[in-house]
Amino acid sequence: MSTQSTPSVGIEFNTVRNVKDALTLASSQKYDFLVIPIIRKQYGTDLLTSYGSKQLTWPSIASRLKGVGESADMSTALVALIRHVIDVDSPNLHIRNKATKLLQEELAAAQYFSVARVIIRIRNGNIINLTRIAASTLNTLYFAYWFVFPTCAPGNFDDDNEAELQPWLWWNKIYKLLDYHGKVYPVLELSADIPSEQAQKRWLGEPVRAVILPTKIFTTNAKGYPVLSPAHQLFIIKLIKLKVQFIIKGINPNDSTLFEPYLQYLKHITRQTEPINRVLESFTHGYEDRLQVPLQPLADNLESRTYEIFEKDPIKYVQYEKAIYQALVEQYDQKTTVIIMVVGAGRGPLVNRALEAADRAKYKVHIYAVEKNPMAIISLYSQKQEWGDRVTIIHEDMRSWHPECKADIMVSELLGSFGDNELSPECLDGAQRYLKDDGISIPYSYTSYICPVQSPRIFSELLYNRDANKPYYANFETPFVVYLHNCFFLAETKPLFTFMHPNFSIPIDNSRYDEVEFTIPTTGTMHGLAGFFEAKLYKDISISIEPNTHSKNLISWFPMFFPIREPITLATNSKIKVNFWRCCSSSQVWYEWTVIEPTTLPIHNPTGRSFSIGK
């Protein structure tokens, strides 16, 4: 079943005589909310020319909004449109002061009538005073700010890319000035010209809350119904996946026949957003951009539910079975009994896959299931009758166990979202002493990958959801597991650290360091680094969450996210250099990272002060 629901749709009217009647009309036509100006245009003009004259303004507001505050449902169904004639950034001091006063009164009216959202249209980048006024109200007023941007700036530009970039730069300035506040959102107003692919990706990395669809950008199909161009449809489908709301602008409120066709069309578009990959969509639903602290299965014993979630992966164990099967038929004689050791056996899925691979290949095997979690051992013993004497269950830490024989094949699933972050290198290095000299490790190698990523939504969450008992920087020095959804990858991934097994280095050293340089193809803001991995199981049989080689339907791992303390806005074709360390001590492993170009940031997580992985 799809988890996609019909998006919320509102309607914008430029003028209404009575707001309550307009709300009733919008509701009767199945629209979810109404966008209207609180102050009529002429009253805004009057106030600008006759500063301080409230005799006309306030009675007008009161009569038009009569009854609005009486119902919570009605208040949340109303979005207040702030008049664009309010020029609070005028170079004329007299006009600026009057406009500021009018804006403050409009915002006060919106607050009094419990309006949940206010819309302010942004026409250019001259928005410093406007942003300052918004900043002064964010922590005292109830409503959220929806700043509306065109997808292409008006005026003459050398190329279309610059015209598309300007509105995003305006938004980026506002969001930074307002310190990524959680009540501030961009709203896009589409035009007849669809944004370029790069411009779309940049906006899809922002917390876009709504999209305005003017009726003039629709055409009429053969049956007389409004439709959008295929290019517009594709962009809207992408936006629907971010759960944006829509606003229809330009309908004549006196013609009731015009209301329904636009709603029906958006429902039609929504049906086209049915997930291509239902397995992935059902597993990731509800986890979009949700920060999770990485598991530490070496230091902590996992719960049964955690094992159960990972065991639902439809592809991981198929690949493991393929790898074990190929290793058996290519490397061993059917007349011998092959010793397989599953280290970190959990509740036994790899044991079952190893047995199935052996049965398919018609090989005799004896499997040692090694597991330190006492609760998981119970699950293993519950299957002992089915397995018979082909499986020996060992309740030991793989690093300290002393086996009676050595293994031909050592199988493990100790990988984390970054490959090595659940200490697979340390575990397998400790266990390889009971692997024969010509033995096989599955997996035999894994590589981590990183790339710079734009995700203001995650940055805002890190900024405002801090643990009061920890230093201010702790959130930004903690890597998180997160299903990256509302984001924009600023460059292609690049490999970082690789580990091989068995590891014949003398001495074995699992600390790592590398400097990675990225070229940014289009302007964006970096909020952190996305981390991935690719693992080789046997020869060319692999599993991967790296975007370019991602294994279809692989759901066991979400990417890692390494935050940075200060966002960095990067121009087209700029270079960025990242330094990354994997550090080890006798009791823990931790990562440190920083950016040294185009600006220098502090080293994040020195000595593992904010996050480390216990051995």
Side-chain angles (χ1 to χ4, degrees), residues 336-375:
T336 63
T337 298
V338 180
I339 304 299
I340 300 176
M341 292 184 180
V342 178
V343 292
R347 302 197 311 178
L350 282 181
V351 175
N352 287 317
R353 290 295 184 162
L355 290 171
E356 290 174 18
D359 290 343
R360 281 201 298 122
K362 296 181 172 54
Y363 271 69
K364 294 179 181 179
V365 297
H366 188 84
I367 298 175
Y368 290 85
V370 185
E371 176 56 52
K372 72 175 182 64
N373 186 342
M375 295 297 103

Side-chain angles (χ1 to χ4, degrees), residues 67 69 132 146 215 296 322 393 422 446 474 522-523:
R132 181 194 64 81
W146 285 10
T215 54
Q296 297 204 25
K322 285 181 182 178
I393 298 170
E422 293 184 9
Y446 36 91
T522 189
T523 300

Side-chain angles (χ1 to χ4, degrees), residues 178-355:
L178 296 178
D179 204 16
Y180 291 86
H181 199 284
K183 293 198 299 184
V184 178
Y185 302 96
V187 172
L188 295 181
E189 183 162 349
L190 299 192
S191 66
D193 297 320
I194 199 70
S196 66
E197 188 69 22
Q198 287 295 340
Q200 289 183 36
K201 288 181 179 179
R202 188 162 46 230
W203 280 117
L204 291 169
E206 300 291 347
V208 177
R209 183 49 59 100
V211 176
I212 297 175
L213 301 174
T215 54
K216 64 183 179 182
I217 71 172
F218 287 79
T219 58
T220 304
N221 66 11
K223 295 182 178 180
Y225 293 108
V227 295
L228 291 170
S229 71
H232 281 86
Q233 291 181 42
L234 289 175
F235 188 30
I236 286 174
I237 287 171
K238 295 174 186 176
L239 290 161
I240 288 174
K241 292 178 180 178
L242 295 183
K243 297 179 173 57
V244 302
Q245 301 173 63
F246 290 93
I247 300 170
I248 303 297
K249 174 187 174 185
I251 291 180
N252 182 351
N254 298 316
D255 189 347
S256 60
T257 63
L258 297 176
F259 285 78
E260 185 178 1
Y262 293 98
L263 271 181
Q264 292 302 321
Y265 180 73
L266 283 175
K267 289 181 180 179
H268 167 70
I269 294 294
T270 301
R271 287 193 290 270
Q272 297 183 40
T273 65
E274 292 294 319
I276 297 174
N277 189 330
R278 291 182 179 275
V279 173
L280 181 64
E281 200 257 2
S282 63
F283 188 80
T284 59
H285 180 66
Y287 289 96
E288 298 91 341
D289 301 310
R290 182 192 294 180
L291 298 172
Q292 302 174 74
V293 177
L295 295 173
Q296 297 204 25
L298 195 59
D300 304 322
N301 290 322
L302 300 182
E303 298 177 353
S304 181
R305 174 169 170 75
T306 303
Y307 287 118
E308 181 182 359
I309 291 171
F310 293 134
E311 288 167 11
K312 290 179 179 178
D313 194 302
I315 188 64
K316 175 174 64 175
Y317 296 111
V318 170
Q319 293 299 91
Y320 267 97
E321 184 179 331
K322 285 181 182 178
I324 297 168
Y325 175 87
Q326 287 298 118
L328 286 172
V329 299
E330 292 182 9
Q331 302 294 332
Y332 300 102
D333 191 328
Q334 277 185 314
K335 297 178 182 179
T336 63
T337 298
V338 180
I339 304 299
I340 300 176
M341 292 184 180
V342 178
V343 292
R347 302 197 311 178
L350 282 181
V351 175
N352 287 317
R353 290 295 184 162
L355 290 171

